[in-house]
Amino acid sequence: MTGLLSGLLLAFVGLAGGLAVGSGMVAFLVVLDIIPRLAQISRSYRSIRLYEGAVVMGAVFFTVTDLFQWSFRLFPLSASLFGLLAGCFVGMLAAALTEVINVLPILAKRIRMEEYMIWLLMAMIFGKMLGSLIDWLGLVQ
């Protein structure tokens, strides 16, 4: 009997935590307007429902994959492909957050680097990429 109750409690806590994290992520995406901004930049605003559906279906698929501990046999470089896509997502999320709070234009203006804005952005992007690679490859213990 206690095993059943602890299992139900565990299921409840897991579902509640998942709902809280999922709701937070969706709220974050909505507040930052990532999907509409992406559609605006790519001039494909007609496909915005497809973008939204892809985000939702990706979240559901990978949640179910994690929940049931499915594994897939893919080609050896598939980890690189998934890493690239995850990096693009994190980069767009960071760029959207920066754009929402308008940090970079203010920073560039204060340090008098308006004409070098693209170099400032590229330095931040490559710095983040290099730091992530160093961390993931375990080069620093």
Side-chain angles (χ1 to χ4, degrees), residues 36-86:
R37 181 73 177 131
L38 212 63
Q40 180 185 12
I41 290 172
S42 64
R43 294 184 182 98
S44 60
Y45 207 75
R46 292 181 302 238
S47 303
I48 196 163
R49 296 285 180 214
L50 291 173
Y51 295 150
E52 291 170 346
V55 169
V56 170
M57 291 306 295
V60 169
F61 175 76
F62 286 106
T63 299
V64 170
T65 300
D66 186 45
L67 181 66
F68 293 113
Q69 298 179 354
W70 293 343
S71 62
F72 302 98
R73 294 203 178 265
L74 301 171
F75 59 97
L77 292 177
S78 62
S80 300
L81 177 65
F82 286 120
L84 178 68
L85 293 174

Side-chain angles (χ1 to χ4, degrees), residues 12-137:
F12 175 74
V13 169
L15 285 173
L19 281 173
V21 170
S23 299
M25 186 63 186
V26 168
F28 196 55
L29 288 173
V30 167
V31 166
L32 293 179
D33 270 346
I34 289 179
I35 295 173
R37 181 73 177 131
L38 212 63
Q40 180 185 12
I41 290 172
S42 64
R43 294 184 182 98
S44 60
Y45 207 75
R46 292 181 302 238
S47 303
I48 196 163
R49 296 285 180 214
L50 291 173
Y51 295 150
E52 291 170 346
V55 169
V56 170
M57 291 306 295
V60 169
F61 175 76
F62 286 106
T63 299
V64 170
T65 300
D66 186 45
L67 181 66
F68 293 113
Q69 298 179 354
W70 293 343
S71 62
F72 302 98
R73 294 203 178 265
L74 301 171
F75 59 97
L77 292 177
S78 62
S80 300
L81 177 65
F82 286 120
L84 178 68
L85 293 174
C88 288
F89 177 76
V90 170
M92 284 190 294
L93 198 63
L97 181 61
T98 303
E99 187 174 304
V100 166
I101 58 176
N102 292 326
V103 168
L104 288 180
I106 295 169
L107 175 69
K109 191 173 188 178
R110 293 220 176 164
I111 61 174
R112 296 186 177 111
M113 289 188 65
E114 294 97 350
E115 61 270 5
Y116 303 109
M117 186 70 159
I118 189 70
W119 294 105
L120 182 63
L121 284 170
M122 295 308 285
M124 292 172 67
I125 290 167
F126 286 122
K128 177 67 177 169
M129 184 179 71
L130 182 64
S132 296
L133 283 174
I134 289 170
D135 182 46
W136 291 333
L137 296 175

